[in-house]
Amino acid sequence: MDVPLQDCTIEEQRGVVRFVWAEEVKPVEIHRRMLAQYGQSTLSRRKVYEWVERFKSGRTCATDEGRSGRPSTSRSRKASSPQEYRN
């Protein structure tokens, strides 16, 4: 069976969670409906529950918030040999 919305973004799915939750649909049903439309690309059931809780707490934005701390990639030059690390 082909799923119509297999190519989508995480933010799109979070928006769907918010929209359907606003219609007072339970998270388990939201996830079931999303599976039918998004197939293997669907958010996990746990993530659907997490986002419902965030929206219940007043969150309105479906995008990731900025994070503090160390960036995930290094911007310094790489050592070409183990010897460079010792100096």
Side-chain angles (χ1 to χ4, degrees):
M1 182 172 114
D2 200 25
V3 289
L5 301 174
Q6 195 164 1
D7 295 327
C8 61
T9 65
I10 298 294
E11 290 79 11
E12 176 186 340
Q13 289 189 45
R14 292 173 184 166
V16 169
V17 170
R18 183 172 184 233
F19 180 83
V20 179
W21 168 75
E23 294 180 333
E24 300 181 3
V25 177
K26 294 187 182 302
V28 69
E29 177 64 14
I30 294 171
H31 185 258
R32 188 192 67 73
R33 290 184 190 182
M34 290 177 68
L35 271 174
Q37 297 302 317
Y38 294 105
Q40 295 298 319
S41 301
T42 305
L43 291 172
S44 69
R45 186 179 314 170
R46 180 179 181 168
K47 288 294 181 187
V48 170
Y49 275 85
E50 287 176 8
W51 278 95
V52 166
E53 289 304 314
R54 290 175 185 172
F55 295 135
K56 279 182 184 178
S57 298
R59 183 160 178 173
T60 57
C61 184
T63 58
D64 285 327
E65 295 176 339
R67 298 178 185 156
S68 63
R70 186 175 180 179
S72 60
T73 59
S74 175
R75 296 189 188 273
S76 63
R77 70 178 180 87
K78 291 185 179 181
S80 59
S81 69
Q83 203 62 347
E84 288 184 43
Y85 287 114
R86 294 186 193 131
N87 295 335

